[in-house]
């Protein structure tokens, strides 16, 4: 039975009023908090409520206002952001240059007609071709990391006329069915098995195992279209490979004519102290997947950047072999262009490298102080992991930090390893303030262990 649309119109007006509101009295804040909680319970996901309740101890920490150096919740409490949207806010929150570019574009046009040529898309594609390693030339734009991986898989299949892939057991590549076939987490895979066939998962960092897998696949006539790896495994806990791992992979791919896909959705755009993580090892992939920080922390934007070989066989003749209606729209591309400008003009990779070294030095002192609790610290740039003695203790530290106004989170399945992934623009003041609160949090959890 059709609903009464007058109620929908009335609530939409209320929602628009809330979007326009920047401040409200306490009574209204409480009312809106209850409204949001009820909406999540009824229309979003009650499981998210339970997670947030246990992490934040209440439901009142509703995101409300972003500022360049952090954000405030509905009640006006400011947070030091050590999470960075899991890699979205490399450029900080609401970087003025990115905001200005989006507003300028919005004054002219938001979405494109999909028939006329889009100037922003062309300029962003040129920038990516000029800044990415090797012979990467053509870009296909979408809105999320998973979409960029799906596109990369199709590119590899079309370029090679093969249909198998090699990836790492603990890699994370997304949750749509193709990308999920690559993702190495059983908890997400089991409900959807069987998925795309012919995927081989190998231990990350073990080149001998990988080489034997390729030799076996070659012998039985099932060479893969591509190997796809995160240069540094992020979701599983910032696992950094040996320095010779990716150069060896590149050579192995060349030997067997296998494409190499670098999933830099999280590690790209300066996060690890280089523009792209593969730059640490001087490796050029055939396909590069980007997302998260691609939109400058303001717009959803992802890109799959590839060599001419990966495009010309099918996409030149039929450019609609893979398509999207709103991917690479003028607003998103404006944000992407501004984001690249900020990335390079403000030298965010250098900032990540220097601040990461500062972080690691301070964390090493805390690790020694609480070594029964905090068993290891590792990282590259501002992609840092704190590994705890067990999941429960890690979660207690996250909860303590949240209560002290520092945003952290475990992985999607546990808090055994906690990532520190702040904006690359984070101030040393916020690093030091956060470290002081981390010391207090570790002490509180450590004393309960005695």
């Amino acid at each position: 039975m059709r609903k009464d649309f007058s109620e929908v119109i009335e609530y939409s007006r209320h929602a628009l009023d809330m979007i326009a509101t920047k401040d409200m009295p306490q009574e209204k804040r409480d009312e809106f908090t209850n409204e949001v909680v009820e909406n999540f319970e009824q229309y979003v996901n009650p499981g998210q409520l339970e997670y947030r309740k246990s992490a934040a101890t209440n439901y009142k920490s509703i995101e409300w206002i972003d500022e360049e150096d952090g954000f405030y919740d509905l009640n006006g409490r400011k947070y030091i952001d050590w999470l960075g949207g899991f890699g979205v806010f490399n450029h900080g929150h609401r970087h003025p240059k990115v905001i200005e570019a989006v507003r300028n574009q919005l004054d002219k046009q938001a979405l494109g007609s999909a028939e006329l040529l889009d100037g922003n898309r062309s300029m962003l594609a040129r920038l990516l071709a000029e800044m990415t390693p090797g012979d990467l030339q053509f870009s296909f734009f979408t809105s999320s990391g998973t979409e960029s991986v799906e596109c990369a898989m199709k590119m590899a299949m079309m370029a090679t006329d093969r249909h198998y892939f090699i990836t790492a057991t603990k890699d994370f590549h997304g949750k749509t069915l193709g990308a999920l076939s690559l993702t190495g987490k059983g908890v997400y895979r089991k409900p959807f098995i069987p998925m795309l066939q012919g995927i081989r998962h190998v231990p990350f960092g073990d080149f001998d195992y990988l080489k034997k897998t390729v030799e076996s696949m070659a012998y039985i006539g099932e060479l893969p279209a591509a190997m796809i790896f995160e240069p540094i495994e992020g979701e599983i806990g910032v696992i950094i490979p040996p320095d010779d791992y990716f150069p060896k992979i590149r050579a192995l791919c060349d030997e067997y004519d296998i494409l190499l896909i670098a999933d830099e959705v999280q590690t790209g755009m300066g996060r690890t102290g280089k523009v792209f993580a593969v730059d640490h090892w001087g490796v050029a992939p055939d396909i590069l997947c980007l997302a998260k920080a691609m939109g400058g922390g303001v717009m959803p934007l992802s890109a799959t950047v590839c060599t001419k070989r990966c495009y010309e066989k099918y996409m030149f003749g039929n450019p609609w072999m893979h398509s999207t209606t709103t991917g690479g729209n003028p607003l998103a591309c404006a944000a992407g262009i501004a984001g690249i400008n900020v990335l390079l003009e403000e030298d965010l990779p250098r900032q990540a490298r220097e601040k990461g070294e500062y972080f690691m030095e301070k964390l090493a002192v805390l690790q020694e102080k609480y070594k029964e609790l905090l068993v290891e610290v590792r990282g590259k740039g501002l992609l840092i992991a704190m590994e705890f003695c067990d999941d429960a203790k890690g979660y207690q530290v996250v909860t303590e930090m949240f209560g002290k106004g520092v945003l952290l989170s475990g992985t999607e399945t546990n808090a055994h390893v906690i990532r520190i992934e702040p904006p690359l623009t984070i101030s040393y003041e916020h690093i030091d303030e956060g470290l002081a609160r981390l010391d207090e949090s570790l002490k509180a959890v450590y004393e309960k262990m005695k």
Side-chain angles (χ1 to χ4, degrees):
M1 182 176 179
R2 175 172 289 181
K3 293 183 178 181
D4 182 355
F5 285 153
S6 64
E7 294 181 4
V8 177
I9 292 171
E10 182 180 355
Y11 191 73
S12 70
R13 288 171 178 165
H14 163 72
L16 288 171
D17 287 341
M18 297 308 299
I19 292 170
T21 299
K22 291 186 177 180
D23 196 10
M24 63 180 74
Q26 186 60 53
E27 182 180 353
K28 289 292 185 182
R29 293 177 189 174
D30 293 340
E31 289 178 5
F32 186 59
T33 296
N34 292 333
E35 178 185 338
V36 170
V37 169
E38 183 179 351
N39 285 346
F40 263 82
E41 179 74 42
Q42 298 296 324
Y43 309 115
V44 183
N45 187 341
Q48 289 188 18
L49 279 182
E50 288 305 307
Y51 175 83
R52 296 301 171 201
K53 181 180 179 181
S54 55
T57 69
N58 57 54
Y59 291 131
K60 296 180 181 178
S61 299
I62 296 173
E63 284 192 44
W64 190 241
I65 297 176
D66 261 350
E67 289 196 345
E68 189 177 347
D69 64 345
F71 62 90
Y72 292 82
D73 67 16
L74 179 63
N75 292 300
R77 184 181 191 187
K78 188 168 184 177
Y79 290 82
I80 295 175
D81 185 7
W82 274 19
L83 181 61
F86 296 110
V88 170
F89 295 115
N90 286 19
H91 305 73
H93 293 257
R94 293 176 54 82
H95 192 289
K97 187 172 285 188
V98 182
I99 293 292
E100 181 183 19
V102 171
R103 283 178 173 158
N104 287 340
Q105 181 58 44
L106 187 58
D107 286 341
K108 296 190 296 184
Q109 179 191 33
L111 301 179
S113 68
E115 183 62 26
L116 302 178
L117 297 182
D118 177 6
N120 288 0
R121 191 183 309 184
S122 75
M123 292 185 287
L124 179 57
R126 175 175 173 173
L127 289 171
L128 287 172
E130 292 178 351
M131 67 187 287
T132 48
D135 298 323
L136 299 177
Q137 180 178 358
F138 294 96
S139 291
F140 189 95
F141 297 107
T142 44
S143 301
S144 69
T146 300
E147 290 175 272
S148 67
V149 170
E150 293 279 353
C151 180
M153 295 175 75
K154 292 177 73 174
M155 283 180 178
M157 290 178 179
M158 289 189 291
T160 62
D161 286 327
R162 302 176 194 155
H163 301 88
Y164 302 127
F165 292 89
I166 296 176
T167 187
T169 306
K170 296 180 180 179
D171 263 20
F172 184 89
H173 298 292
K175 292 176 182 170
T176 53
L177 281 177
L180 185 58
S181 301
L182 301 172
T183 291
K185 282 194 173 183
V187 66
Y188 301 129
R189 294 168 53 87
K190 287 179 181 177
F192 310 105
I193 291 172
M195 290 176 286
L196 190 65
Q197 301 299 291
I199 308 293
R200 307 294 206 281
H201 288 85
V202 301
F204 185 71
D206 188 338
F207 180 75
D208 290 339
Y209 193 110
L210 172 62
K211 186 172 185 293
K212 290 176 182 177
T213 300
V214 172
E215 290 170 347
S216 176
M217 294 178 76
Y219 186 80
I220 63 175
E222 294 184 356
L223 274 175
M227 301 183 195
I228 176 168
F229 296 104
E230 295 178 89
I232 297 171
E233 289 187 316
E235 173 63 24
I236 197 61
V238 190
I239 306 301
I240 303 169
D243 283 338
D244 63 350
Y245 185 58
F246 276 98
K248 287 181 176 179
I249 290 176
R250 178 71 271 180
L252 185 64
C253 286
D254 292 341
E255 180 181 353
Y256 286 91
D257 193 29
I258 300 168
L259 298 178
L260 175 59
I261 304 171
D263 181 347
E264 296 239 21
V265 167
Q266 186 165 193
T267 59
M269 309 305 289
R271 170 58 55 185
T272 68
K274 298 283 188 180
V275 176
F276 307 106
V278 292
D279 293 338
H280 287 288
W281 307 292
V283 170
D286 301 288
I287 302 174
L288 181 68
C289 298
L290 300 170
K292 291 189 182 288
M294 261 298 292
V298 174
M299 293 293 296
L301 177 65
S302 57
T304 310
V305 193
C306 67
T307 61
K308 183 178 180 181
R309 175 190 177 184
C310 297
Y311 240 36
E312 62 184 345
K313 189 172 183 179
Y314 287 95
M315 294 291 283
F316 283 2
N318 182 358
W320 314 122
M321 284 293 289
H322 188 65
S323 60
T324 172
T325 302
T326 57
N329 63 74
L331 275 181
C333 287
I337 291 167
I340 288 174
N341 176 268
V342 171
L343 172 78
L344 300 178
E345 281 200 350
E346 298 185 14
D347 202 353
L348 297 188
R350 176 190 56 79
Q351 292 195 48
R353 185 168 59 252
E354 293 177 355
K355 293 170 185 176
E357 291 171 356
Y358 183 82
F359 243 122
M360 292 288 286
E361 289 175 4
K362 302 292 185 178
L363 288 170
V365 175
L366 292 178
Q367 194 274 323
E368 180 63 26
K369 186 175 180 181
Y370 303 105
K371 54 188 174 184
E372 291 88 358
L373 170 62
L374 180 57
V375 297
E376 185 181 354
V377 173
R378 56 182 176 269
K380 218 175 229 326
L382 281 174
L383 183 58
I384 298 169
M386 298 184 293
E387 184 169 337
F388 292 92
C389 57
D390 60 47
D391 177 76
K393 299 297 188 298
Y395 198 82
Q396 289 171 26
V397 172
V398 168
T399 304
E400 288 282 341
M401 289 289 277
F402 197 100
K404 298 179 191 305
V406 181
L407 187 62
L408 280 174
S409 179
T411 67
E412 290 189 351
T413 54
N414 66 75
H416 187 204
V417 178
I418 304 299
R419 277 173 291 179
I420 298 176
E421 199 169 355
L424 308 186
T425 57
I426 188 172
S427 67
Y428 283 95
E429 178 184 3
H430 276 182
I431 294 174
D432 288 338
E433 286 182 18
L435 286 165
R437 297 176 200 182
L438 177 61
D439 193 354
E440 295 171 1
S441 299
L442 291 169
K443 181 180 180 181
V445 176
Y446 184 70
E447 289 181 346
K448 295 176 184 177
M449 295 172 59
K450 296 178 180 179

